[in-house]
Amino acid sequence: MKKILFFRPLMALGGTEIAMLSLIKNLKNYEVYLAYVDDTSDQKLLDRFRKYAKVGKVADFDFQFDTLIITTNRYHTFDEIKQIKRKQTILWVHYFFKLETSVFNDKEEIAALDKIVVVSKTAANKLITKYPYLKSKVLTIYNVIEQEEIRKKALEPIDIQFQSCLNLVTTARICKEKGFIRMAYLANILKNKSIPFKWYVIGDNHYPERKLEMLEYFKGLDDYFVWLGFLDNPYNIMQKCDYEVLLSDDETWGLALTEALILGVPCITTDFEAAFEQINENNGFILSRDNLASYEEKIPDILEKKNKLKNNVKNYYYDNNKILKEWDDLIG
């Protein structure tokens, strides 16, 4: 049985970890391992992975792997993984963070990679445009998303009384990159227009000081926001809301957007390039990342079209079979 090792230096719940868990759970006929290096990693999260993989520090796995899958584009800063014995190496890209210090600028490191898997076509094209020498290594494989499990979890009971108003939900790490300043701006527009709303935030930040920095923008909005932290099951809340809102600076793929569509919930997002692969006039709204003043003119449509959009996405289907076959072809 082939041995697959995933490497993630810090394990803290986010979109990458969710995508990893979904893939690992669905990989068949492999021995799966997960290695990390940061002692501050979330132990509860690691326990979730232990159900499907052997988890430990890099030094714990001193034997031959068939495939090493690296999940950070700054892996070249971690000397530990250079000691891992493997037949092939795959870089799995979920986001582009500080490209100027990423491994993509290190041709020697890139030469050691067999493939670079990117989770959207838009992001793959963006990477090739910036680094043309990567073209032969880059391919797109969308994330595995467990839609049946998502729908099942959405039916679990919930101890929240939803109000008859505009109900919004954001499932994201609380940080600037995920658009929390834009969220506060949009919330203040709704407040100033006397539009009743509740905004549920499912997420946190591994670094408390970064969360507190963002919360400063939400002063005066205490009556409107419900801060729930990380939840094992965000879907029973998501399903009750009118829109999933993700106003990020950039995403290679908005995982929360697809999860919302699976639950029949339309989306409001920003105009990062990959958003146009997911969101259109039939399932949500795409707002400007830069022109926040334009948000006000979108409010009437957001309010008036929510039921029509919900009807449009009520039968949304996401097919994992093709995705899993692409992974099998790559590592099988």
Side-chain angles (χ1 to χ4, degrees), residues 75-119:
Y75 75 84
H76 61 311
T77 63
F78 295 93
D79 290 333
E80 293 93 339
I81 64 169
K82 295 176 181 177
Q83 311 306 317
I84 296 173
K85 305 181 187 73
R86 71 271 197 173
K87 295 178 182 177
Q88 72 166 335
T89 306
I90 297 168
L91 176 60
W92 190 17
V93 180
H94 288 85
Y95 61 94
F96 297 128
F97 180 67
K98 294 185 178 178
L99 282 177
E100 66 279 3
T101 61
S102 72
V103 73
F104 303 119
N105 295 291
D106 190 329
K107 290 191 176 183
E108 183 177 343
E109 292 276 11
I110 287 295
L113 292 174
D114 294 282
K115 288 294 180 182
I116 301 170
V117 174
V118 188
V119 296

Side-chain angles (χ1 to χ4, degrees), residues 245-272:
V245 185
L246 182 67
L247 303 181
S248 300
D249 294 349
D250 196 13
E251 298 278 349
T252 51
W253 184 266
L255 180 61
L257 301 179
T258 302
E259 291 176 336
L261 294 174
I262 286 169
L263 295 175
V265 178
C267 301
I268 300 171
T269 191
T270 36
D271 56 356
F272 53 87

Side-chain angles (χ1 to χ4, degrees), residues 34 113 190 196 238 242 247-248 290:
L34 170 65
L113 292 174
L190 294 170
M238 188 185 291
D242 297 302
L247 303 181
S248 300
D290 302 318

Side-chain angles (χ1 to χ4, degrees), residues 2 4 27 30 67 69 88 90 326-332:
K2 291 191 173 182
I4 312 299
L27 286 176
Y30 301 100
T67 301
I69 300 176
Q88 72 166 335
I90 297 168
E326 289 170 338
W327 275 109
D328 278 334
D329 289 344
L330 186 60
I331 64 178

Side-chain angles (χ1 to χ4, degrees), residues 44-67:
K44 290 183 178 179
L45 176 62
L46 290 172
D47 286 341
R48 292 174 66 180
F49 277 85
R50 287 187 176 98
K51 296 177 182 177
Y52 310 99
K54 297 176 183 178
V55 177
K57 294 290 192 70
V58 172
D60 296 335
F61 304 129
D62 185 23
F63 47 84
Q64 179 81 39
F65 289 93
D66 294 282
T67 301

Side-chain angles (χ1 to χ4, degrees), residues 103-291:
V103 73
F104 303 119
N105 295 291
D106 190 329
K107 290 191 176 183
E108 183 177 343
E109 292 276 11
I110 287 295
L113 292 174
D114 294 282
K115 288 294 180 182
I116 301 170
V117 174
V118 188
V119 296
S120 72
K121 293 178 181 177
T122 306
N125 291 335
K126 179 179 178 181
L127 187 60
I128 292 168
T129 298
K130 186 171 179 63
Y131 302 102
Y133 68 90
L134 297 179
K135 186 174 181 179
S136 64
K137 293 180 182 284
V138 173
L139 72 157
T140 300
I141 302 180
Y142 291 113
N143 280 324
V144 171
I145 301 177
E146 297 180 286
Q147 63 178 352
E148 296 308 320
E149 182 175 340
I150 288 171
R151 291 193 177 107
K152 181 179 178 181
K153 285 187 173 182
L155 299 176
E156 293 180 2
I158 181 173
D159 190 23
I160 292 178
Q161 296 297 318
F162 285 86
Q163 300 178 18
S164 180
C165 64
L166 178 65
N167 286 291
L168 306 174
V169 60
T170 291
T171 312
R173 185 175 68 257
I174 300 174
C175 62
K176 180 180 180 297
E177 295 80 13
K178 293 296 183 180
F180 275 77
I181 296 174
R182 296 185 190 95
M183 287 168 53
Y185 188 93
L186 179 57
N188 275 301
I189 293 174
L190 294 170
K191 176 185 175 183
N192 294 336
K193 286 183 170 292
S194 299
I195 296 168
F197 72 97
K198 278 288 184 182
W199 199 324
Y200 300 90
V201 179
I202 302 172
D204 213 318
N205 195 309
H206 193 70
Y207 303 100
E209 66 278 7
R210 297 180 189 175
K211 174 183 175 180
L212 291 174
E213 181 182 345
M214 287 299 100
L215 293 181
E216 286 294 313
Y217 290 92
F218 292 83
K219 288 183 176 179
L221 294 168
D222 290 348
D223 292 339
Y224 301 94
F225 278 82
V226 182
W227 303 90
L228 296 168
F230 285 126
L231 298 177
D232 286 336
N233 179 13
Y235 307 116
N236 52 1
I237 296 171
M238 188 185 291
Q239 184 173 246
K240 297 286 188 182
C241 292
D242 297 302
Y243 292 99
E244 167 74 31
V245 185
L246 182 67
L247 303 181
S248 300
D249 294 349
D250 196 13
E251 298 278 349
T252 51
W253 184 266
L255 180 61
L257 301 179
T258 302
E259 291 176 336
L261 294 174
I262 286 169
L263 295 175
V265 178
C267 301
I268 300 171
T269 191
T270 36
D271 56 356
F272 53 87
E273 293 178 9
F276 295 92
E277 284 186 59
Q278 298 178 267
I279 305 303
N280 55 54
E281 62 184 9
N282 294 313
N283 59 20
F285 296 93
I286 297 179
L287 308 181
S288 171
R289 283 172 290 181
D290 302 318
N291 183 12

